[in-house]
Amino acid sequence: MSLWEIIRRLYPYVLPYRRLVISTLLLTLVGSLAAQVNPFVLRYTVDTVQKLLDTNQGLSQGIPMLLWVSGLLLGKEIINTFIQFGQKFYGEKIRISVSSTLSQDAIHKILSYQLGFYSDSGNQTGKLQTRIDRGVESLMKLVQNFFIDILPLFANAVVALVVMYAANVYVGLVATFILPIYFWISYRQADKLNGTRRALRGLREQKSQGLVNLIDSAVVIKSFVREDYEEQKQNGLQQQLQEAQLETRKTNFVYDGLKTFVEQVGVVLIIILTAYLVLSGQMTIGAIMFHILLFNNVSAPIRQLHRIYDEMNEALTYSEGFFDILDAQDAKEKTGTLPADHVRGTFDICNVDFTYPSGTQALHDVCLTIEEGKTTALVGLSGAGKSTILNLLCKFYEPDHGKMLLDGQPLADYDTHALRQRIGLVLQKNHIFKGSIEENIRYGVMDATFEQIQAAARQAYLHDQILELPKGYQSDAQQLSGGQQQRIAIARLFLKNPPIIFLDEPTASLDAIATEQIKNSLDAIKQGRTVVIISHSLAQIVDSDCIYVMKQGRMVESGTHDQLYDLRGTYREIFDASARSLNIEKLAKAMVDDGDEVEDTAG
Ligand code: ADP
């Protein structure tokens, strides 16, 4: 990305603050004029003192001049304080406002993208975060640099240079001669840093990603006692980071030294030249002070040049990653215009192929029909493509080929948000947000009353358990057990009360009692709704109205439990394996014996 492109991209963000920008620019101009007062005043002072000495006049004759000069310098300084304050404050105000708009824009864009965007390797949680933070930070440094450093300093430099030329062309030429050398060194420095900066960026992203992973996998790391291994991995990264940082510092120290030297050469040349002009009677002695101060005004901003260059390069490096996020238009979730307020859930899926953005083809030529008001089960070994079907039905992804109809209309034509309002999705593991239980259940319907939340919790068999907690509904939801968190997800479903329900192994992580309770509450909510259930638990499948069996991304069998059982195909295989794993014969014998005992005692 070029600087020009960045400016073009930032322009719309700065536009709303144009008044502030103009005020800042005006203040900058006044400030750079005020900065030239010192050299003039000092030249006048030195010359006047010299004249007094030459005419043998003493302190008493000098006092009015001293008072006048002090008054002028102080007055200028007071005005300067206000100018600087205004300029910095407005500059900062522009920076902060633009920065928050940029961050907000990134968040808005990310939320509007498809799920595929998040699974892209460049967009994993830590990386995305670093890209946004670094991008906004470096862009803002650019804006801040422009208003607070570049503009005032360079305005100063240009005005000082013009004054130098006006005073003496040769003096102006010396200053102009030093500048390109200085520029060249700064350019070399920035160029050298650019390579290390890219490396640093990559390493920083890896490190923050690594930390996020560490926290996520803490339990596994500890249970396998892999602390040392993980530490070694982080340590290697840290070493590389250290080396890259040190390299950057070393380059800076070398080039900074070189620049100071060149600047001092400039000062010496100016002193020699001016001394010559004074001694040959072409100038008064005050000119020495005058020229050195002017040269200082020219060189001060140039001294900052490498930092500005540096930060500009940083902005160039990081802004690309940031604007890529804003520009990922292809990732934007598609939506139609068809209202979904009355959909009941008859899905017709025909010849659907689907490939995940990673390249895994998860569905091959899949056909199925989901009938309104009925329960349809999807069965198959793990990885068969069952969850993928739900992903497509929720419009989280689009199929590569094939037809998907809902109530006779193409699924793609429906308003995506309206459609999802009609669907309740409960997964094996549902996300619990940081916050209280009440807030987490409320996610189902944001404006639900507390009574409605309690009713939903009751239906999910959660209410009594919540009451036993010291803080009740205000307890931290993330501290709850897996089973309780699952009930929160089901309470959200009850609260949302959608006509279409997708259940993806909703009881897989629960104990037997919880499974039974939740099965009961799900059976209650299923009435009159369209339900698609994925489950490994036979009990939840056998009484479905229709069962579809999947194998390696293909639909292989369909029918009712009895039909599929008699077919002796994949379903039967899975069914028999499940029955064996449950040790059904022994369980049945135990139940029969128990029944006999009861009968005996009764007899
Ligand atoms: P099931 O629900 O039957 O266990 P899935 O539908 O989850 O199976 O997965 C089907 C295939 O798609 C698997 O090979 C799985 O690895 C792959 N898959 C699932 N989710 C993703 C994803 N987000 N990105 C890439 N591949 C995926």
Side-chain angles (χ1 to χ4, degrees):
M1 224 175 172
S2 68
L3 184 64
W4 173 241
E5 226 170 310
I6 294 186
I7 294 173
R8 197 177 55 79
R9 293 301 305 261
L10 282 179
Y11 180 71
Y13 291 94
V14 181
L15 199 63
Y17 308 102
R18 53 186 173 279
R19 285 218 182 110
L20 271 182
V21 173
I22 293 171
S23 317
T24 315
L25 294 183
L26 282 177
L27 283 176
T28 305
L29 191 67
V30 180
S32 60
L33 290 176
Q36 314 310 325
V37 168
N38 279 10
F40 278 103
V41 171
L42 284 176
R43 181 176 67 173
Y44 171 79
T45 313
V46 173
D47 286 345
T48 316
V49 169
Q50 182 67 40
K51 227 180 272 169
L52 289 175
L53 286 176
D54 287 349
T55 51
N56 278 331
Q57 298 188 60
L59 193 60
S60 53
Q61 281 83 2
I63 283 183
M65 183 271 295
L66 279 181
L67 286 177
W68 191 79
V69 165
S70 315
L72 189 69
L73 287 180
L74 278 178
K76 185 219 95 179
E77 229 24 77
I78 292 172
I79 295 174
N80 215 20
T81 311
F82 283 107
I83 292 174
Q84 281 205 9
F85 171 80
Q87 194 190 28
K88 285 191 175 148
F89 182 72
Y90 288 154
E92 198 63 7
K93 197 166 170 184
I94 297 169
R95 186 185 74 84
I96 292 172
S97 317
V98 171
S99 130
S100 61
T101 324
L102 275 173
S103 309
Q104 201 50 42
D105 214 22
I107 292 170
H108 172 75
K109 283 281 164 60
I110 287 172
L111 283 174
S112 74
Y113 291 156
Q114 299 167 1
L115 282 187
F117 174 83
Y118 302 95
S119 51
D120 190 284
S121 68
N123 297 336
Q124 287 153 359
T125 335
K127 285 192 186 169
L128 209 55
Q129 176 90 47
T130 318
R131 270 167 71 187
I132 294 177
D133 288 351
R134 293 245 133 208
V136 172
E137 194 186 319
S138 61
L139 280 170
M140 285 317 97
K141 264 201 194 140
L142 197 72
V143 174
Q144 181 189 23
N145 255 333
F146 186 73
F147 287 107
I148 296 179
D149 299 336
I150 303 184
L151 214 56
L153 287 172
F154 280 80
N156 252 353
V158 171
V159 175
L161 202 60
V162 170
V163 177
M164 274 179 116
Y165 270 102
N168 183 286
V169 175
Y170 296 108
V171 175
L173 279 177
V174 170
T176 324
F177 171 71
I178 297 291
L179 289 187
I181 303 178
Y182 218 95
F183 265 105
W184 186 76
I185 299 174
S186 298
Y187 170 75
R188 295 287 314 149
Q189 183 177 15
D191 199 38
K192 207 154 175 181
L193 286 177
N194 210 5
T196 18
R197 169 143 312 111
R198 267 177 209 278
L200 259 176
R201 174 190 168 194
L203 288 169
R204 283 212 181 106
E205 281 185 3
Q206 273 184 45
K207 188 145 171 49
S208 74
Q209 181 78 15
L211 272 178
V212 173
N213 283 347
L214 271 189
I215 297 164
D216 283 351
S217 42
V219 174
V220 181
I221 295 173
K222 284 183 185 297
S223 68
F224 282 95
V225 200
R226 291 284 178 266
E227 285 92 340
D228 288 345
Y229 169 73
E230 293 295 335
E231 203 174 320
Q232 282 296 326
K233 263 203 320 203
Q234 291 297 317
N235 197 21
L237 215 60
Q238 190 67 49
Q239 288 283 332
Q240 283 175 287
L241 203 64
Q242 251 177 27
E243 278 161 30
Q245 277 171 331
L246 213 59
E247 187 59 37
T248 318
R249 286 270 170 260
K250 198 173 89 188
T251 313
N252 274 339
F253 293 150
V254 170
Y255 281 91
D256 285 350
L258 215 60
K259 284 191 301 191
T260 311
F261 179 72
V262 171
E263 194 188 338
Q264 286 314 307
V265 170
V267 173
V268 170
L269 284 179
I270 296 235
I271 291 177
I272 293 173
L273 183 65
T274 319
Y276 165 77
L277 291 170
V278 172
L279 289 174
S280 62
Q282 297 179 44
M283 282 183 181
T284 54
I285 190 155
I288 295 186
M289 199 55 132
F290 183 55
H291 290 167
I292 290 177
L293 284 182
L294 283 177
F295 184 67
N296 194 46
N297 276 357
V298 177
S299 64
I302 316 291
R303 223 175 291 146
Q304 314 261 357
L305 197 67
H306 110 271
R307 186 175 57 82
I308 291 166
Y309 237 83
D310 218 45
E311 289 179 356
M312 218 150 70
N313 264 325
E314 194 161 313
L316 294 182
T317 317
Y318 290 119
S319 56
E320 201 168 302
F322 176 76
F323 283 120
D324 276 354
I325 296 176
L326 295 192
D327 292 343
Q329 290 304 335
D330 293 349
K332 216 170 157 58
E333 265 193 327
K334 300 210 172 59
T335 182
T337 48
L338 219 57
D341 304 345
H342 301 293
V343 297
R344 300 297 309 163
T346 301
F347 290 94
D348 273 309
I349 293 162
C350 206
N351 307 116
V352 163
D353 285 348
F354 173 71
T355 312
Y356 277 104
S358 64
T360 310
Q361 181 163 2
L363 299 181
H364 303 262
D365 199 22
V366 164
C367 294
L368 83 149
T369 304
I370 293 159
E371 283 184 54
E372 167 194 332
K374 300 220 164 127
T375 298
T376 306
L378 298 179
V379 177
L381 302 182
S382 84
K386 306 176 298 289
S387 308
T388 304
I389 290 190
L390 295 190
N391 281 339
L392 294 189
L393 295 181
C394 290
K395 285 177 81 175
F396 290 147
Y397 296 92
E398 290 164 59
D400 309 340
H401 301 289
K403 214 165 60 176
M404 295 188 71
L405 300 179
L406 168 58
D407 290 355
Q409 303 281 349
L411 189 65
D413 290 353
Y414 282 96
D415 178 321
T416 304
H417 285 181
L419 174 73
R420 289 185 193 151
Q421 293 287 7
R422 306 285 287 169
I423 296 175
L425 180 63
V426 177
L427 306 172
Q428 179 178 347
K429 184 141 184 26
N430 297 278
H431 185 75
I432 297 298
F433 293 91
K434 191 162 174 44
S436 68
I437 296 176
E438 182 187 339
E439 283 163 349
N440 265 282
I441 299 179
R442 192 184 292 283
Y443 215 74
V445 174
M446 295 310 271
D447 54 3
T449 62
F450 185 54
E451 284 67 36
Q452 287 170 321
I453 287 173
Q454 280 182 312
R458 242 181 233 113
Q459 285 170 296
Y461 292 91
L462 185 59
H463 180 72
D464 294 338
Q465 296 188 14
I466 296 175
L467 292 187
E468 282 170 19
L469 298 170
K471 286 194 195 160
Y473 277 85
Q474 298 316 314
S475 314
D476 180 358
Q478 284 183 331
Q479 301 296 335
L480 295 178
S481 72
Q484 287 168 327
Q485 292 192 352
Q486 194 64 1
R487 288 165 207 248
I488 287 192
I490 289 168
R492 274 184 203 150
L493 179 75
F494 276 109
L495 196 61
K496 187 175 180 182
N497 197 19
I500 303 169
I501 294 175
F502 295 154
L503 305 167
D504 192 346
E505 311 214 26
T507 55
S509 57
L510 301 183
D511 57 59
I513 306 276
T515 301
E516 194 193 8
Q517 288 177 343
I518 285 179
K519 184 183 177 309
N520 290 342
S521 47
L522 286 177
D523 284 346
I525 202 176
K526 276 177 181 174
Q527 301 307 318
R529 293 173 213 255
T530 310
V531 178
V532 180
I533 180 163
I534 297 174
S535 181
H536 287 299
S537 146
L538 295 176
Q540 293 181 34
I541 288 169
V542 284
D543 38 49
S544 302
D545 299 300
C546 185
I547 301 171
Y548 282 91
V549 186
M550 295 190 72
K551 195 173 180 181
Q552 293 173 348
R554 295 177 195 277
M555 204 55 89
V556 287
E557 292 163 16
S558 66
T560 60
H561 165 75
D562 292 335
Q563 290 165 340
L564 291 173
Y565 190 81
D566 293 341
L567 203 63
R568 295 180 171 275
T570 309
Y571 180 79
R572 177 69 179 264
E573 245 176 71
I574 298 173
F575 183 92
D576 287 347
S578 302
R580 281 195 301 275
S581 72
L582 281 177
N583 209 348
I584 274 196
E585 275 175 33
K586 196 147 191 190
L587 291 181
K589 186 167 176 294
M591 284 161 93
V592 170
D593 289 350
D594 191 37
D596 289 348
E597 262 172 41
V598 174
E599 262 174 42
D600 286 349
T601 9

